[in-house]
Amino acid sequence: MNNQNRFKEKVTIDDVARLAGVSKSTVSFVLNNRPSISAATRDRVRDVIRKLNYQPNQIARSLSSRQTRSIGLVVKQIDNPYFTKIMRGVFEYFSGCGYTVLLGSSELQPDREKSSIEALLRQRVDGLILSPLQGSDADMSHLSLISQNQVPLVLLEKVANVAANVVDIRNEGAACEAVSYLIGLGHRKIAYYSGPDYSMHNRERLTGYRRAMMEHGLPFSASGVRQAGVYLADGYAAAKAQFSGSGERPTAVFCFNDLVAIGVMNALMELGVHIPEDVSVIGFDDIEFCGSVRVPLSSIRVPAYEMGKAAADLLMQQIGKTDSVIRKTVELEATLVPRASCARADGRPAGGIPKKKHASPDGLRTAGGMA
Amino acid sequence: MNNQNRFKEKVTIDDVARLAGVSKSTVSFVLNNRPSISAATRDRVRDVIRKLNYQPNQIARSLSSRQTRSIGLVVKQIDNPYFTKIMRGVFEYFSGCGYTVLLGSSELQPDREKSSIEALLRQRVDGLILSPLQGSDADMSHLSLISQNQVPLVLLEKVANVAANVVDIRNEGAACEAVSYLIGLGHRKIAYYSGPDYSMHNRERLTGYRRAMMEHGLPFSASGVRQAGVYLADGYAAAKAQFSGSGERPTAVFCFNDLVAIGVMNALMELGVHIPEDVSVIGFDDIEFCGSVRVPLSSIRVPAYEMGKAAADLLMQQIGKTDSVIRKTVELEATLVPRASCARADGRPAGGIPKKKHASPDGLRTAGGMA
DNA sequence: ATTATTTGTTAAACCGATATAGTAAGATAT
DNA sequence: ATATCTTACTATATCGGTTTAACAAATAAT
């Protein structure tokens, strides 16, 4: 009946109220720093709280206040270095302001994206950060599900025809920059090893690639694009297929991400193709290991950690402020980091820094010396 | 007053009950598949649920049932490949059985470990998986905090004097195996580049290193141990310090983890020290990139993903079953994967596979071909 | 036919907080 | 002295479910 004689029951607000000789309302007010409490009772209540080591039940709080002080983060792959940095950025931001982060991931399967979102909405997160899969068929019904629930949302890539808060990177521009750099080195036959087609980032990078080719009057043909994927094994397989075949070979390969690029390099090395003398390679994301792989890998540096923080910040601006819905798109810079994996088309070293200013080209120092 | 004319209020169990012409108890019973409901009403209620697109409020559920269907996972570093795999294992297990994973991380700071745990306990997680920092001063007070709250716990490394469920790896044995392998290659001056001292894994690996040295009658001196850390930069700095100094140099370096080992390799390469001719290097964890770095890195393969699954499984066995508390320690295998970073002490290639059976020594194939 | 048991359903207490309306006591104004 | 306003606090409804005890109707046992 009463919960005094129960074994080791949790301390509740009632226990505190009883011991402090006040009502639970008063305790609640103290807990939430309401002004209308005298210093004397405030201190008394706080003493009791400390004495009982009382921890308010966040679930009960959530139910009555309709705020869970938690947010959901749905990525595409939990163990992908790019998302990993984003996760850290998001986590650090929210743990700094007393929010909890609930983990979600589609692991590249649309149905699992949907179920992840549903699970998080059931847990009544106060907001959602989502890196959406978006195929050409584009079943974006779960997005409307989110807006139905009026949960603040920040997307980690643009979605066509959806007005939402977005934190994204300059994919097209950076891709164009990378391919232009290769062209500047004298390359004419440049391949794009593409990511999955449910990725907007992939589509934008493809556009950047195409634009660079066209702007320089180079032939853009579909054959220049090879379907790879997101994994090391995808790049490996794609390169093995192309370079062990008898077809025409590119002298440079621009890859959807660093994992694909590293897979490509592994394959080429196995086939006796030299990097960068025979083929130049550029990746995307600039993960930590770019400077440490067989041939230091040129890549596009993406500020993933900062993206996470930015997305968190943008989401936080929405939470609580029910009025004046913000619709903002933050686009972060992404710039080429040239390293040894690129050379001139005739095989000579790339030499100095290309026209535009870039981050330090020194793969070794950068990768070895910094955390 | 009533919530029918409010704008876009959420559908509640009462709405369902009203429309189906039953009590909310009945709806609740249907929701939880209680047997005592006639097929007719069950179907009718389910129809209404579907029609209204009703999603039960998990917060309300949690409050009354005292089960949140969520667990907390506290790692040491969100963006470390080892923890990343664990996270995926844990996530996949729990999302498979309708549980949500709340993210926590100490980011290597004890106070943040504590606050992470507190935050998760406030959210009333049904269980906790923790990779604990444990310094020599050993302030393990938060562990008692967990047991006070009677929250099922699984640790991701053993804690001295604490009886708990543990999923761990065979650190000492694997370390001993690695060092013995180096000794078998003729090395006599072998250094251990250690991890942080708040890591039990580090202490166990150190013990394994020491045991191997002693068993082979080699001098074990404190000078054989260099403090490195967990980051690439830590290994880089430690190696730079040792190999640019004038002191005695080891011919082999066994590292706390792969990041340190890769940092070491970067430093040595900068200093013109050749791997493996001059110095052999072994890492720990066998992260994906081991086969793709400058010189393919020998490492200890750790089944981190499986650890995550195992920890999740062990935790799940505890949840709900209040009686008969389980206390189990699951220790997973960890075995040496030799690659090109190791050679005989005289500089000649290591050649075949060492006595004991190991995973494929073919770094290139393994790393390039597999995901 | 009467009692006992099973089956299907519901009323109401409860989970542990928040929040609103209300109240008693003391301060200020009239 | 009475009315008005603060100030400090409390009673109570509420959030949206679960769960227990109660109950009526149908079935089985005596």
Side-chain angles (χ1 to χ4, degrees), chain A residues 53-363:
Chain A
N53 192 25
Y54 165 68
Q55 293 275 80
N57 183 329
Q58 180 58 44
I59 299 299
R61 269 181 134 156
S62 299
L63 182 59
S64 63
S65 71
R66 295 152 158 282
Q67 289 209 74
T68 54
R69 298 186 72 77
S70 71
I71 66 103
L73 170 60
V74 182
V75 298
K76 290 180 185 171
Q77 297 178 80
I78 290 179
D79 61 354
N80 176 311
Y82 166 68
F83 288 110
T84 272
K85 297 279 180 208
I86 291 180
M87 285 169 56
R88 189 161 69 85
V90 171
F91 174 78
E92 292 202 344
Y93 184 98
F94 281 112
S95 66
C97 52
Y99 273 66
T100 305
V101 175
L102 310 205
L103 189 55
S105 177
S106 61
E107 297 298 312
L108 304 179
Q109 293 154 247
D111 56 323
R112 295 188 60 182
E113 174 176 322
K114 196 177 175 196
S115 59
S116 268
I117 292 172
E118 285 170 347
L120 297 178
L121 290 179
R122 262 196 307 272
Q123 294 280 3
R124 296 299 194 269
V125 290
D126 290 343
L128 215 45
I129 297 176
L130 168 66
S131 177
L133 300 175
Q134 33 183 340
S136 42
D137 53 343
D139 171 24
M140 299 276 96
S141 59
H142 34 305
L143 290 193
S144 67
L145 207 154
I146 296 168
S147 64
Q148 261 172 46
N149 288 55
Q150 301 179 234
V151 176
L153 172 68
V154 173
L155 293 173
L156 289 173
E157 56 181 56
K158 304 172 201 69
V159 173
N161 306 322
V162 169
N165 293 286
V166 179
V167 171
D168 206 341
I169 39 179
R170 202 177 54 93
N171 281 296
E172 188 188 322
C176 180
E177 186 183 338
V179 175
S180 297
Y181 169 65
L182 290 170
I183 295 172
L185 289 176
H187 293 278
R188 293 295 171 263
K189 286 181 285 185
I190 303 171
Y192 176 55
Y193 274 35
S194 82
D197 49 66
Y198 48 68
S199 159
M200 179 60 90
H201 281 182
N202 181 56
R203 288 203 280 277
E204 291 174 344
R205 288 168 201 181
L206 177 59
T207 306
Y209 160 76
R210 190 181 313 178
R211 180 154 65 85
M213 296 297 271
M214 284 180 20
E215 279 178 1
H216 292 85
L218 290 175
F220 164 77
S221 63
S223 66
V225 179
R226 310 284 291 201
Q227 180 70 32
V230 290
Y231 297 108
L232 217 139
D234 296 330
Y236 179 88
K240 264 288 173 82
Q242 177 161 44
F243 284 85
S244 57
S246 56
E248 217 185 13
R249 296 178 174 189
T251 65
V253 178
F254 172 53
C255 301
F256 171 67
N257 70 13
D258 291 332
L259 289 175
V260 168
I262 294 171
V264 167
M265 293 204 299
N266 286 343
L268 293 187
M269 220 152 268
E270 259 185 64
L271 293 170
V273 178
H274 293 99
I275 299 169
E277 295 81 1
D278 301 332
V279 174
S280 292
V281 180
I282 299 186
F284 211 112
D285 288 348
D286 195 39
I287 62 176
E288 186 175 11
F289 303 97
C290 280
S292 306
V293 290
R294 288 246 173 53
V295 178
L297 175 63
S298 304
S299 188
I300 309 281
R301 174 158 299 163
V302 173
Y305 174 72
E306 287 76 15
M307 284 180 72
K309 290 235 163 186
D313 190 47
L314 191 49
L315 186 62
M316 205 55 183
Q317 288 174 34
Q318 304 261 302
I319 293 176
K321 280 113 201 162
T322 50
D323 51 342
S324 72
V325 184
I326 314 165
R327 285 264 182 283
K328 212 153 86 177
T329 294
V330 178
E331 192 160 73
L332 279 77
E333 274 302 315
T335 58
L336 181 65
V337 181
R339 294 198 185 88
S341 68
C342 293
R344 306 191 58 83
D346 55 23
R348 284 182 301 142
I353 297 164
K355 292 113 252 158
K356 300 182 190 172
K357 68 170 177 6
H358 289 300
S360 155
D362 177 3

Side-chain angles (χ1 to χ4, degrees), chain B residues 11 64 70 93 95 99 105 148 159 199 225 257 271 284 336 363:
Chain B
V11 181
S64 62
S70 70
Y93 183 99
S95 65
Y99 273 65
S105 177
Q148 262 173 43
V159 173
S199 159
V225 179
N257 70 12
L271 292 169
F284 212 112
L336 181 65

